[in-house]
Amino acid sequence: MRSYRADVEAFENWCVENGINAPFPAAVETVCCFLEDQGKCRAPSTVQRRLYAIRKVHRLLRLPDPTYDEDINLAMRKVRRARAVRPRQAKGLTRKYLESFLESEPDTPWGLRNRAMLALGYELMTRRSELIALRNQDITERDDGTLRVLIRRSKADPFGNGRIAFTSQRTADLLKEWLTYRGPEIQWLFCPIYQGKVIDRCLETTAIRRMIKEAAQRCGLNSEQAASFSGHSMRVGAAQDLLKRGFDTAAIMRAGGWKSVNVLARYLEKAEHNVWAN
């Protein structure tokens, strides 16, 4: 919603600068000019999102929608051809990196929490927002010592139908260590720690990215390598590892909650997986 609002404001400001006093309803020619002008300095994905924002406003205001006109499609094709860039892909936090990152965490309350977050985020293949949203009631211990986890809401599941994921016994043990320190009174699975004391609220999504980058630096990776990791790296790396272990597309999509094969293919394209090796 914040992105949509910023996109609509960008369109309105552009209209004012170009002497168009009434942005809505927009003329097809106005939208085309806006898209092509934005394409000079913005990534095609950003321009596409701004088109969607303009479309959404017209629908909400019950106005005639100009965004399906063929001239709009031609304008977007011009934008994509003019700035042909591949989507940026976060570096995969594969098993090799995971083991190093877990080992690098100190024996402190922060280290307890971060080891549990790294292991859980990797095995559940969560997005940052999904990981920090987990609560006590979302975790169920199974008879074999592993965990059954309900991920209630995600970007691809706006209505909160949820998906089920599972962990290894080692990850379950790491989480138990953290929960023993955290105590039973806090509902959030992962929470901030201030001066050695836990705070009853969920973490910010930026804490996940910071945790990963700091672990990369502790492991001796150079600044460029550390910068290539992001909060999405656990999801990417786990998918790449499953591919190398021989799991098929359906199994990987099920484990990570993907709805689109095309999106998953983008995650897997940089996997170091030689199908011809013995």
Side-chain angles (χ1 to χ4, degrees):
M1 293 303 294
R2 286 195 298 268
S3 296
Y4 273 157
R5 178 169 182 168
D7 293 335
V8 172
E9 288 178 351
F11 177 62
E12 291 177 333
N13 292 337
W14 182 89
C15 288
V16 171
E17 292 169 2
N18 288 272
I20 302 171
N21 296 323
F24 300 103
V28 172
E29 182 181 0
T30 299
V31 178
C32 287
C33 290
F34 171 71
L35 297 176
E36 292 180 25
D37 190 51
Q38 290 288 293
K40 297 174 183 177
C41 58
R42 304 290 180 182
S45 58
T46 301
V47 180
Q48 182 76 58
R49 194 189 65 220
R50 293 192 168 172
L51 173 61
Y52 290 158
I54 294 170
R55 177 176 300 162
K56 178 62 71 175
V57 170
H58 280 84
R59 289 183 175 183
L60 290 173
L61 296 177
R62 306 295 192 271
L63 296 172
D65 185 358
T67 62
Y68 285 103
D69 191 275
E70 185 58 28
D71 286 344
I72 301 292
N73 294 332
L74 293 174
M76 282 305 306
R77 290 174 65 181
K78 289 179 183 178
V79 169
R80 295 190 187 98
R81 284 199 302 266
R83 292 176 62 87
V85 294
R86 290 172 60 81
R88 183 182 175 187
Q89 179 66 66
K91 183 175 180 62
L93 201 165
T94 55
R95 173 69 67 175
K96 178 186 72 173
Y97 289 114
L98 176 66
E99 298 301 329
S100 298
F101 287 13
L102 290 175
E103 185 67 27
S104 74
E105 288 292 342
D107 292 327
T108 64
W110 294 268
L112 280 177
R113 183 196 64 191
N114 292 351
R115 277 194 292 269
M117 281 201 298
L118 281 166
L120 197 65
Y122 172 86
E123 291 187 355
L124 300 182
M125 293 198 283
T126 55
R127 300 174 179 86
R128 292 178 299 169
S129 58
E130 296 168 357
L131 185 58
I132 65 169
L134 291 173
R135 304 190 183 210
N136 297 335
Q137 61 265 34
D138 300 329
I139 308 297
T140 304
E141 186 172 2
R142 307 174 77 217
D143 293 339
D144 60 359
T146 63
L147 299 176
R148 177 184 184 273
V149 183
L150 173 60
I151 301 170
R152 295 181 180 274
R153 185 182 294 272
S154 71
K155 182 174 71 172
D157 179 26
F159 298 107
N161 294 321
R163 67 177 176 92
I164 301 298
F166 301 91
T167 74
S168 67
Q169 186 169 349
R170 184 185 74 161
T171 293
D173 291 340
L174 289 173
L175 184 61
K176 289 174 187 174
E177 288 183 43
W178 156 245
L179 295 181
T180 299
Y181 174 84
R182 189 212 61 183
E185 68 280 356
I186 294 179
Q187 62 174 330
W188 303 101
L189 207 60
F190 299 110
C191 61
I193 306 170
Y194 180 69
Q195 295 184 348
K197 296 182 180 180
V198 293
I199 308 298
D200 190 7
R201 65 175 176 82
C202 70
L203 288 168
E204 299 290 338
T205 55
T206 53
I208 307 297
R209 183 178 69 245
R210 185 169 60 250
M211 171 188 66
I212 293 172
K213 291 184 180 295
E214 288 176 353
Q217 292 168 354
R218 285 196 305 270
C219 290
L221 300 181
N222 61 43
S223 57
E224 183 178 350
Q225 290 174 315
S228 64
F229 288 100
S230 78
H232 223 56
S233 291
M234 294 180 290
R235 185 168 168 82
V236 175
Q240 293 174 350
D241 282 342
L242 290 178
L243 174 69
K244 289 187 284 186
R245 289 174 58 188
F247 289 93
D248 60 24
T249 301
I252 301 174
M253 291 181 68
R254 161 68 179 79
W258 279 283
K259 301 293 190 298
S260 168
V261 175
N262 293 336
V263 174
L264 177 61
R266 216 166 54 232
Y267 280 57
L268 300 179
E269 65 180 3
K270 292 186 179 180
E272 294 290 333
H273 180 50
N274 184 356
V275 297
W276 305 112
N278 292 328

